[in-house]
Amino acid sequence: MPTTHQAAAVSPARRRADLILFMVLAFGVSWASWGAAIAIGGPAKNGEPTYAPFLLGAFGPLIGALVIRIRRRRRGEPVPPHAVRYRPSAWLWALLLIALSAGAVLVAAVIGHAAGGPAVSWTDAKDVMNDMGGPAAFLVSMIVSGPLSEEPGWRGTAYPRMRATMGPFRIALILGVVWAVWHLPLFFIDGTVQNGLGLFTPSGVLFVASNVPMAMLVTCAYQRAGVVAAIATHFAVNTTMVLLDVDTPVTQAMIIGTQLIVVALLLAINGRADRAAAPVAVVRTRPAQDRTRV
């Protein structure tokens, strides 16, 4: 953990400059790539001309994060004080968060079906995996495009720099809105999940709105166990939603609700862990004086 002296070595102006540069790169790379995909036209499928710029666009946040990291190291600056460092227990948390996040989506889908949404179908899930080249190719695609290409940026780079001046809840709200805006070009690329929903439909509006509770969920995961946990949570939600083919408003609304419940649970766990880790004040007492006179 950086000392107070080391943390003070990075001025607020430089921290803001790094954050702005990250956002410019994240949006610039992604929107330029997706803009090219929109101009080319056609579906964003492997083998199609649109696929390469579509895929490159997903890596805007990661590219921005790498540039900021290289700049920080060249300047000899320490890791930001609020960055959550890697530790081995992150992998255990990653597994727990995968189960918790995927379970929340599955429960929401079951409740959504009871409320009139589509039934959960394992056959449909197998068809989705087969369409993407089989289970192995599907899982690699789901972890690379989205979780791995985004979380080192949004959580690993933006969060610690924003945390220097604002609280976690406010950061999650802001990053949720930023995330929603960042996704908007995908609604105009044929073959994407967003294009299938439609921007000006109830499902499209709920997708945009869902970026806020999703950002809150992944931010809680990052606070608990760093980028590894954020990647795991992002992966679990995306994968489960794709396998279940979530596209109806009722199921989307249920997912938002279950995610908020998980966020509340993680906030309680994080708060309890923070209180347990807080230093205990030591009250020093003066030794009793011997009042006996000789």
Side-chain angles (χ1 to χ4, degrees):
M1 192 74 178
T3 64
T4 303
H5 175 72
Q6 288 174 318
V10 182
S11 67
R14 180 168 288 180
R15 188 170 55 243
R16 285 194 299 270
D18 282 349
L19 181 60
I20 291 171
L21 178 59
F22 164 74
M23 291 293 181
V24 169
L25 290 171
F27 274 83
V29 172
S30 296
W31 281 20
S33 300
W34 290 336
I38 294 170
I40 293 170
K45 294 182 179 180
N46 195 9
E48 297 289 338
T50 307
Y51 186 71
F54 159 72
L55 186 61
L56 176 61
F59 290 85
L62 179 60
I63 292 171
L66 291 174
V67 170
I68 298 302
R69 185 184 183 94
I70 292 170
R71 280 165 54 89
R72 177 180 64 77
R73 287 191 169 186
R74 285 182 175 177
R75 294 189 303 229
E77 295 173 353
V79 175
H82 297 284
V84 180
R85 301 291 193 98
Y86 168 80
R87 55 186 184 273
S89 62
W91 293 102
L92 175 60
W93 272 104
L95 293 175
L96 292 173
L97 286 165
I98 285 174
L100 188 61
S101 303
V105 175
L106 182 59
V107 168
V110 172
I111 297 175
H113 172 57
V120 175
S121 171
W122 175 240
T123 301
D124 291 342
K126 288 192 293 185
D127 290 341
V128 170
M129 288 188 286
N130 290 333
D131 289 342
M132 296 184 67
F138 170 75
L139 291 176
V140 170
S141 174
M142 292 306 300
I143 197 168
V144 171
S145 181
L148 190 59
S149 65
E150 295 181 39
E151 291 310 324
W154 302 126
R155 253 54 63 174
T157 301
Y159 175 88
R161 289 163 176 82
M162 297 172 72
R163 186 68 179 87
T165 57
M166 61 185 74
F169 185 76
R170 184 180 173 192
I171 294 171
L173 289 177
I174 292 174
L175 285 181
V177 174
V178 169
W179 213 6
V181 174
W182 179 78
H183 278 99
L184 289 180
L186 294 174
F187 283 94
F188 305 99
I189 301 177
D190 186 24
T192 64
V193 171
Q194 293 81 3
N195 183 262
L197 296 175
L199 180 57
F200 301 107
T201 66
S203 293
V205 171
L206 281 170
F207 173 86
V208 173
S210 71
N211 281 269
V212 174
M214 180 66 172
M216 297 172 70
L217 176 61
V218 183
T219 298
C220 285
Y222 174 78
Q223 289 177 295
R224 182 93 299 268
V227 173
V228 171
I231 290 172
T233 303
H234 194 158
F235 165 77
V237 174
N238 280 9
T239 302
T240 310
M241 290 185 68
V242 170
L243 287 175
L244 297 179
D245 194 21
V246 174
D247 58 2
T248 58
V250 62
T251 305
Q252 289 175 295
M254 294 298 173
I255 291 173
I256 290 174
T258 56
Q259 284 183 336
L260 290 175
I261 293 173
V262 174
V263 166
L265 175 62
L266 291 176
L267 286 174
I269 293 173
N270 289 347
R272 191 178 299 114
D274 291 341
R275 288 191 295 272
V280 179
V282 177
V283 179
R284 297 183 181 276
T285 58
R286 298 176 64 183
Q289 295 180 350
D290 188 355
R291 298 179 182 273
T292 305
R293 294 183 181 273
V294 178

